[in-house]
């Protein structure tokens, strides 16, 4: 099976231009491709997972990735998939976020001479002259065609700022620049990026002639992958300081039955033959598949040692008999107690299980909190410092969030 066939078999390809040429480049290790990452936060999240894994797969097959960090486009904000305008970031925020991205990407992609490249579009976009851009690039774009793009249509009712309207031109210019400077002959992106990506391909061909070798390809599930990055309690980050390895493991351990094999196929590096053998799994076997998914992805992001610890903690909670030491834990100090006591609402707050006492009160009243497997019904339930020094308690929110509390 060729690498292109494998991408298709894993469900990663949605649309392409010039499929025969794309196959030729990818299968023979001749693709120089880029994927863009706008630094809108100080950590990548699981919504970026598919792009990172794709870059790793293609690099393993001999192709050369370019990780494009959006220091320039991040100052505008991509309107794709948005119902409102993104928060404007300062240059200092963007530079900090880029530094964080670089460190995390190195776990997936091998950078260096003759290997993957990492570039920042601020290096060329911020130096452009506005009038020159209008004459040189703007003349290549039809406003009518741009307004038909899905990324703009969904924003027209609420209002699309002129700032955001320029995003497609800026992204297209990125591909044009990378093609000229680095021989980048392919771009990848999510299915919500299709219009922007076609803009880049057309710009290259209009400026350099129809024989210019530039192609586009999209990932089938990337927009769904972005949704995967969000949970009811916020984002699932790759930074262990923001989402612990255990929480990361539990996120994947709790995916829906209907999604687990799809995620294994798309996101892990297990052989397709091994995954195909799981297609008939059901019932208890799906729980085994979820464990495989959670372990493989936690190992990929946080290393095998942390993945093993997370698996042990999960077994302790759900299967019994394993080590509780690896469970997320909070150790309270004397200053956390008032007159030697602390109530359940403050415990929920100090462990970040809830964001406020009001949220904790509602959670308890709705029957969503238990301590040592006993449902909490009294919002005034309290524990002494001596109690928690003698014995740690296990606080549970719903069915899936556990936290050990001790003093």
């Amino acid at each position: 099976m060729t690498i292109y066939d494998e991408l298709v078999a894993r469900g990663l390809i949605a649309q392409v231009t010039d499929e025969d040429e794309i196959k030729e480049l990818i299968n023979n290790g001749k693709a120089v491709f880029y994927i863009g990452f706008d630094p809108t936060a100080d950590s990548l999240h699981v919504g970026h997972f598919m792009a990172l894994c794709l870059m790793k797969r293609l690099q393993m097959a001999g192709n050369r990735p370019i990780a494009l960090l959006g220091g320039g486009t991040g100052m505008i904000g991509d309107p794709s998939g948005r119902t409102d305008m993104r928060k404007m970031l300062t240059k200092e925020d963007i530079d900090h976020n880029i530094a964080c991205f670089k460190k995390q990407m190195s776990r997936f992609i091998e950078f260096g001479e003759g290997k993957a490249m990492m570039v920042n579009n601020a290096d060329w976009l911020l130096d452009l002259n506005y009038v020159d851009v209008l004459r040189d690039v703007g003349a290549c774009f039809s406003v009518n065609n741009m307004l038909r793009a899905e990324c703009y249509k969904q924003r027209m009712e609420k209002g699309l700022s002129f700032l955001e309207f320029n995003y497609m031109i800026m992204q297209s210019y990125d591909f044009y620049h990378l093609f000229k400077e680095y021989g980048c002959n392919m771009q990848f992106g999510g299915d919500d990026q299709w219009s922007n990506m076609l803009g880049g391909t057309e710009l290259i061909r209009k400026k350099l002639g129809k024989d210019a070798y530039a192609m586009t390809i999209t990932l089938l599930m990337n927009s769904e992958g972005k949704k995967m990055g969000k949970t009811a309690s916020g984002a699932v980050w790759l930074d262990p300081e923001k989402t612990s390895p255990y929480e990361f493991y539990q996120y994947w351990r709790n995916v829906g039955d209907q999604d687990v094999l799809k995620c294994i196929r798309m996101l892990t590096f297990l052989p397709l033959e091994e995954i195909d053998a799981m297609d008939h799994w059901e019932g208890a076997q799906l729980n085994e598949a979820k464990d495989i998914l959670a372990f493989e992805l936690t190992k990929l992001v946080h290393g095998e040692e942390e993945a093993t610890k997370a698996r042990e903690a999960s077994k302790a909670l759900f299967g019994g008999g394993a080590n509780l030491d690896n469970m997320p834990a909070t150790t309270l100090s004397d200053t956390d107690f008032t007159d030697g006591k602390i109530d359940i609402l403050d415990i929920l707050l100090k462990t970040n299980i809830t964001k406020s006492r009001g949220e904790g009160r509602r959670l308890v009243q709705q029957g969503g909190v238990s301590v040592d497997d006993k449902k909490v019904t009294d919002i005034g339930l309290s524990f002494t410092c001596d109690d928690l020094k003698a014995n740690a308690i296990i606080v549970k929110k719903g069915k899936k969030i556990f936290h050990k509390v001790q003093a």
Side-chain angles (χ1 to χ4, degrees):
M1 179 181 289
T2 66
I3 182 62
Y4 185 85
D5 289 340
E6 181 179 349
L7 297 182
V8 173
R10 288 183 180 274
L12 292 169
I13 304 299
Q15 302 178 82
V16 300
T17 64
D18 312 285
E19 184 175 44
D20 289 341
E21 289 85 351
I22 288 173
K23 287 181 178 179
E24 170 69 19
L25 290 173
I26 288 177
N27 291 338
N28 291 288
K30 297 178 180 178
V32 180
F33 67 96
Y34 94 89
I35 299 180
F37 300 83
D38 274 353
T40 54
D42 59 0
S43 173
L44 298 165
H45 58 68
V46 300
H48 297 110
F49 226 16
M50 188 169 301
L52 294 168
C53 291
L54 179 76
M55 295 175 89
K56 183 178 178 70
R57 291 184 204 281
L58 290 175
Q59 185 176 42
M60 290 169 63
N63 299 286
R64 190 176 191 189
I66 300 176
L68 175 63
L69 301 177
T73 45
M75 298 187 76
I76 295 178
D78 184 2
S80 301
R82 302 284 298 188
T83 58
D84 56 1
M85 186 171 171
R86 292 181 185 272
K87 176 186 175 183
M88 296 280 283
L89 298 174
T90 67
K91 188 176 185 303
E92 291 72 24
D93 288 337
I94 290 172
D95 289 343
H96 171 71
N97 294 346
I98 283 175
C100 296
F101 277 24
K102 287 180 178 179
K103 182 179 179 180
Q104 293 173 353
M105 285 181 177
S106 297
R107 291 197 66 93
F108 292 83
I109 308 158
E110 189 175 359
F111 295 99
E113 186 69 29
K115 299 175 183 175
M117 291 181 285
M118 186 177 290
V119 296
N120 183 345
N121 62 18
D123 293 341
W124 56 87
L125 292 181
L126 299 189
D127 291 333
L128 292 175
N129 178 281
Y130 182 64
V131 174
D132 288 344
V133 172
L134 289 178
R135 288 174 58 86
D136 189 43
V137 182
C140 299
F141 286 82
S142 162
V143 171
N144 291 346
N145 288 339
M146 292 174 71
L147 291 175
R148 283 194 289 268
E150 196 63 36
C151 61
Y152 290 146
K153 283 198 302 183
Q154 60 189 348
R155 287 292 308 281
M156 292 303 289
E157 289 186 11
K158 287 197 172 184
L160 177 71
S161 72
F162 183 70
L163 177 73
E164 296 170 290
F165 189 63
N166 283 271
Y167 191 90
M168 181 186 292
I169 294 176
M170 303 291 268
Q171 181 173 331
S172 299
Y173 190 87
D174 282 342
F175 193 19
Y176 175 57
H177 178 87
L178 293 173
F179 180 87
K180 289 194 305 177
E181 297 298 320
Y182 302 106
C184 179
N185 50 30
M186 199 175 298
Q187 58 180 332
F188 286 74
D191 53 3
D192 57 342
Q193 294 288 309
W194 185 241
S195 298
N196 292 351
M197 295 167 66
L198 288 179
T201 299
E202 289 303 308
L203 177 61
I204 291 172
R205 292 177 180 178
K206 285 179 179 178
K207 295 293 295 179
L208 304 176
K210 292 185 178 180
D211 293 333
Y213 221 44
M215 288 149 284
T216 59
I217 194 166
T218 66
L219 312 186
L220 176 62
M221 298 303 298
N222 210 28
S223 55
E224 182 173 324
K226 290 180 181 178
K227 296 174 186 176
M228 287 195 298
K230 301 289 184 180
T231 68
S233 59
V236 178
W237 305 101
L238 305 194
D239 182 348
E241 297 299 318
K242 297 169 77 71
T243 298
S244 71
Y246 171 79
E247 291 168 326
F248 188 85
Y249 177 94
Q250 282 301 117
Y251 173 79
W252 295 107
R253 179 63 180 76
N254 292 316
V255 300
D257 290 354
Q258 71 279 7
D259 293 327
V260 57
L261 291 180
K262 177 172 62 178
C263 289
I264 289 177
R265 193 176 300 277
M266 297 172 74
L267 301 176
T268 76
F269 286 79
L270 295 175
L272 280 171
E273 296 81 3
E274 184 177 336
I275 300 170
D276 290 341
M278 302 178 189
D279 278 342
H280 66 281
W281 284 11
E282 56 186 25
Q285 286 181 309
L286 285 179
N287 287 329
E288 182 181 346
K290 292 177 185 181
D291 178 72
I292 292 171
L293 172 68
F295 183 81
E296 290 296 323
L297 297 190
T298 306
K299 180 173 69 173
L300 186 61
V301 174
H302 297 295
E304 187 164 2
E305 181 179 353
E306 291 297 332
T308 300
K309 289 180 180 178
R311 175 183 268 173
E312 285 295 311
S314 182
K315 287 180 178 179
L317 294 170
F318 298 104
N323 190 350
L324 287 171
D325 291 342
N326 298 317
M327 185 190 309
T330 295
T331 300
L332 302 173
S333 65
D334 289 343
T335 58
D336 293 317
F337 295 83
T338 301
D339 296 330
K341 293 183 178 182
I342 186 170
D343 66 25
I344 187 63
L345 301 186
D346 272 348
I347 286 177
L348 294 173
L349 193 58
K350 290 182 182 296
T351 56
N352 289 320
I353 292 176
T354 60
K355 302 300 181 185
S356 67
R357 284 178 61 88
E359 181 187 346
R361 183 179 295 106
R362 290 189 295 273
L363 190 63
V364 170
Q365 291 170 341
Q366 293 165 3
V369 177
S370 64
V371 173
D372 293 338
D373 287 331
K374 294 181 180 179
K375 185 170 292 187
V376 176
T377 57
D378 179 10
I379 60 173
L381 176 66
S382 63
F383 303 84
T384 69
C385 183
D386 290 340
D387 288 339
L388 295 179
K389 283 181 179 178
N391 295 292
I393 60 173
I394 306 300
V395 180
K396 181 180 176 184
K397 174 186 174 182
K399 296 181 178 179
K400 300 175 181 178
I401 296 178
F402 296 80
H403 205 101
K404 181 167 65 174
V405 182
Q406 56 201 0

